[in-house]
Amino acid sequence: MTPIRGLVVGGLLLLCANAGGAAPAQARSDVDSLLLEARALIRQMRISAAEERLRLVWTTGDASAEQDAYARFLLGIVAHERRDADAAERSYREALERSSSTATRAVAQSNLDMLATERARYAAYAPLRTRLDVWLAIECAVALAVACFVVRVSR
Amino acid sequence: MNRVSDGAPPRSAAVDLPGPLRGAFIAGLTGAAALGLELTAARLFMPWFGASIHVWSKVIGVALAALALGNLAGGRLAARWPSRFVLGGLLGAAAATAALAPLLTRAFALSTVPADLPLEAALGILGQASLVTAIAALGLPLFVLGTIFPFVVKGAARTWSVERSSGVLSSVSTFGGLLGTFAPVHWTIPSYGSRATCLGIAAVLAIAAFVAAWPLRARHGLAAAAVASILGAAIASFAPTPWKPQSGDGTVVLERESAYQYVRVERARDATRLCLNEGLDSYHSLAYAGDVMTRGAYYDSLSLMSARPLTASPSPRVLVLGFAAGTVARQLLALFGEHRDLRIDGVELDPVVAELAGPYFELPPDPRITIHVDVDARSVLDRTNVRYDVIVVDAYAQQIHVPFQLCSREFFASVREHLAPGGLFLANVSAFSADDGALRAIARTACAEFTHVGALAVFGSRNFVLAGSMESSTDQWLLPPTTLPERLHPARSAADEARGVFAWPTRPDDVVLTDDRSPVERIMEHDLELRARALLAAGRGAR
C-alpha cells in the first residue's frame, strides 16, 4: 500500500540507462558482459548481485582503462543506492577522472551533481538530531528542577 | 544536642481534605483521566509519529514515570499542605495541562519532524522525537495526576483505617482507569476526535477540582468556574485547519480520525492521495483526475502483471487484500472489466478509508465490487471458498510493514489454495533494493509455497511487485505489448527498463516467516534505521 518515493533511484537508473552507450566498443567480451550484467542487475535493483559482478571486473585484471572507469561509475551507483554518499562520490570522481568517454563523463558528473543536491537537502535535516538531544536535556533539567522544588517546599 | 528524627513530618498541619466518599469519587475520576489521557495521547501522536510499538512504548513509559514521580511529590505535598484547596488547585492544574496536551503535541511535532521530511530519513528520528513530545505533552498532566492519590488517602484515613482507605481508593481508581480505557477508544475518539476527548478529560478533572475544594464561597466558586470556562473555550477555539500542515504545493481536502487511524486526503494539481498517520511522503491510494492510470506508480505494475490471468478467463475474479480507497480495483475494472464479467472482492480494515473511494478517488459504488470492512484480510481469505484468478496483497501497517499475518508461510499456503488454475498472487512490497532483508524474507517464504516466485522492480520507486504462481514461470508473466490494453504500454516500457520480472534467487541464509515466528518488522526497521542514519550522515557531509 505504501510506496516510499525515493529521491534518487529513478534518476540514477535513467542515467545508468543512458550510460549504456558509454560501454567501450573495443572492450574484451568477458569484461563487457560483466558490465552489462551489472547494469541490468542495477536496473532490477539487485544491488549486491551487481556489486559482485563489478568486483569480478577487477579480479579478472583484463579490464581496459575505459572499462575500469565505467565499472567505477556503476560502483558509484551501487554505493549511492546504499546511501553511502562518500563512497559514491569517490567512485563517481574516479570514473570522471579515468574515463575518456564523453558519455560516461557526462553521467558521472550528472550523478555527482545529484549527490550534491541530495547532500544539501539532507543537510537541512542533519541538525534535527541535535535539536532533539537539546530538547531532551531541557526536559530532563525541568523535571529535575520540579523535583527539587517539591522536595524543598514540602520539607 | 543532636536532633533525632522518627520519620514523622517535622511540622503537622490541620487536615482539611475530602472524606472517603468524595475521595473515592475523585480517585475514580483521576484514574479515568490518567488512562484516558494516555490512550488519547497515542492517537494524538499518530499523525506525526505513527502508531508503531516504539511510539506506544514512549507514551506508556513517560506516563508511568510521570505518575511515579507525581506519587512521590504528592506524598510530600499532602504531608505539608493537607488542604482541599491545594488538592483542588492540583486537579485544576491537571485539567489545564490535559487541555493543552493536543496543542503541545502539535507544536513539538512540528518542531521535531518537518512536514517535508522523507519517510526514508524520518525513521532515524521518529523514536526520539516521540519521546521528547511525550514528555512535553504528557509529562506535566500525568505528574500532577500522580500527586492526587496521597491527598485522597490522607483525607479518607481520617474516617477509615489507612489499610481500608488505600485499598478502596486504589480499587476505585483502577475501575476509573477501566472507564478511561474503553470510553475514548470506543466512544469519544471515533465520535468526537482526540482533541475533543482531551478537552473532555480536562472537563472531568475540572469537575473533580470543584468536588475536592467544596464547600466554596459562592464568589470563589463562580470565579473559578469562569476562569475554567474561559480557558477551556480559548483552548477549544484554537484549532488550526488543517491540523497537520501540508508540505509542498498540495492542499489538504479531508482530515478524519477513524477508529483505527488518522486519515487524510491531499490534492496536488490533478493528483489525489490518501495518507495515513504520519504518512510523510508515502501514500495508500492515488488517483489522477480523469485517468485511471497512476503515471508509473506501482498500481500500474500490479495491473500489468494481472493482465495475463485476467485476459485468460471470461469471468475472472480478483481479491484485493488492503483495498484502501480502491485504486487497484478502479484500474482493473477500467482495463479489463469492459468485455469480461470481472468481479472484485476487496478487504479493508478501516471503513472510513473504504468510504473515501467514491467521493475522492473516482470509484463510485459498482455492483462488480464487494468490499469487506472492519475485518482482517487474513480471516477473510481463510474463510472464503472462492478461487481467484488474481490475489493482490497491498496491505501495510505503520507505512512500511507488511503485516506479519499477511506474509507468513501459512498465509501463502492459504493464498495458493485460493488461486484458480493459472492464477497469480501479487504483493506490493516496499524495499530499497532486492537486498533488503524484509523483501528477501517475504520472497523466501513465498518460495516455500509457490513453484515460481519472481519480482519486478517498479521503475523509479521504492516498490517491488512480488509474484507467485504454481503453473506459469516468471518469463511468461508479462504479456507482449501487442496483447495489452494500450493504457498499459507505458507500464510495460517501464518494466522493460527495469529488465522485467526476475526469478527470485533463494538463498539458504534467508529466513522463512511463519505465524509463530515472523521477525519481519524487526528486519525492516533495522534496514530502514541504517538507511535513515546514512541519509542524515550524508547531509552532514554537504558542501
Side-chain angles (χ1 to χ4, degrees), chain A residues 1-10 13-14 17 39-40 43-49 81-83 85 89 93 119-123 125-126 128-129 131-133 135-136 139 146 150-151 153-155, chain B residues 11 73 76 81 111-112 116-118 120-121 124-125 128-129 132 135-136 273 281-284 298 394 396 399 428 430 432-435 462-464 497-499 502 531 533-535 538-539 541-543:
Chain A
M1 199 181 290
T2 307
I4 300 173
R5 292 173 301 146
L7 295 171
V8 294
V9 66
L13 289 176
L14 283 169
R39 194 180 67 173
R43 286 192 193 184
Q44 290 180 332
M45 298 302 292
R46 296 162 70 182
I47 301 300
S48 290
E81 280 301 330
R82 289 193 174 135
R83 297 298 190 229
E89 185 174 342
R93 287 200 186 284
R119 280 185 183 248
R121 178 171 183 193
Y122 284 102
Y125 303 125
L128 282 177
R129 273 193 178 281
R131 192 186 305 170
L132 285 169
D133 289 340
W135 268 120
L136 201 56
E139 287 174 340
V146 169
V150 168
V151 169
V153 299
S154 60
R155 193 172 280 168
Chain B
R11 282 176 287 180
R76 297 191 75 106
W81 293 297
S111 149
T112 53
D116 61 347
L117 183 66
E120 188 183 355
I125 59 163
Q128 196 177 346
V132 165
I135 294 172
R273 306 192 315 159
D281 59 350
S282 69
Y283 53 85
H284 292 249
Y298 72 90
D394 191 13
Y396 272 80
Q399 314 301 335
N428 165 40
S430 277
F432 294 98
S433 80
D435 302 328
R462 299 297 188 192
N463 295 77
F464 282 77
E497 283 291 329
R499 288 290 190 269
F502 62 89
R531 290 186 76 88
R533 285 179 188 280
L535 274 175
R543 283 186 284 272

Side-chain angles (χ1 to χ4, degrees), chain A residues 110-134:
Chain A
S110 181
N111 278 15
L112 268 175
D113 295 344
M114 192 188 299
L115 192 62
T117 308
E118 284 164 28
R119 280 185 183 248
R121 178 171 183 193
Y122 284 102
Y125 303 125
L128 282 177
R129 273 193 178 281
T130 313
R131 192 186 305 170
L132 285 169
D133 289 340
V134 170

Side-chain angles (χ1 to χ4, degrees), chain B residues 126-146:
Chain B
L126 284 183
Q128 196 177 346
S130 62
L131 175 64
V132 165
T133 307
I135 294 172
L138 276 187
L140 199 53
L142 287 168
F143 171 80
V144 181
L145 281 177

